[in-house]
């Protein structure tokens, strides 16, 4: 009888506890979408933090609150514009993917720049 009372108490406590927080997931890139539509959908995601705008840089960075997902969206004057790139932390690696809507050579330059940032260390 005491076992049933204990089980009943545990079930009651479990029913009253707060639900586990669902991890936030971020959109992957869909290069079939138009540049403007995809950029707007990515930027509208909740818990995405825009980096301060650097007037000398023709693109914007947006990152997840946990820092595991980042997007780079080009602006006029950027190499490869229009383009959107995404970096995701996968274990100890950072994987860069993207959608080259514009000039392929400029996109490749931008991709190399982002990949170079993965290995940059402050001295």
């Amino acid at each position: 009888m005491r076992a049933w009372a204990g089980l009943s108490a545990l079930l009651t406590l479990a029913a009253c506890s707060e639900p586990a927080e669902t991890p936030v997931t971020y959109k992957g890139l869909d290069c079939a979408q138009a540049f403007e539509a995809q950029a707007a959908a990515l930027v509208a995601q909740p818990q995405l933090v825009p980096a301060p705008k650097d007037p000398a840089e023709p693109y914007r960075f947006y990152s997840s609150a946990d820092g595991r997902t980042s997007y780079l969206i080009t602006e006029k004057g950027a190499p490869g514009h229009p383009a959107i790139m995404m970096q995701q932390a996968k274990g100890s690696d950072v994987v860069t993917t993207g959608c080259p809507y514009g000039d392929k050579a400029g996109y490749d330059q931008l991709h190399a720049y982002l990949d170079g940032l993965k290995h940059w260390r402050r001295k």
Side-chain angles (χ1 to χ4, degrees), residues 93-116:
D93 196 19
V94 176
V95 177
T96 305
T97 57
C99 296
Y101 296 98
D103 175 59
K104 179 72 168 117
Y107 172 84
D108 290 343
Q109 177 186 351
L110 189 59
H111 194 282
Y113 166 73
L114 273 184
D115 277 345

Side-chain angles (χ1 to χ4, degrees), residues 35 39 42-43 58-60 62 71-75 83-85:
F35 170 78
L42 294 173
V43 171
Y59 37 77
R60 292 294 309 264
Y62 300 86
Y71 302 96
L72 176 143
I73 300 174
T74 63
E75 297 174 338
I84 298 174
M85 306 201 75

Side-chain angles (χ1 to χ4, degrees), residues 15-54:
C16 295
S17 67
E18 302 231 359
E21 192 172 309
T22 305
V24 178
T25 57
Y26 293 91
K27 294 179 184 274
L29 297 182
D30 177 3
C31 298
Q33 280 189 8
F35 170 78
E36 292 294 337
Q38 181 161 215
L42 294 173
V43 171
Q45 296 178 93
Q47 299 185 19
L48 198 62
V49 180
K53 173 67 177 136
D54 181 344

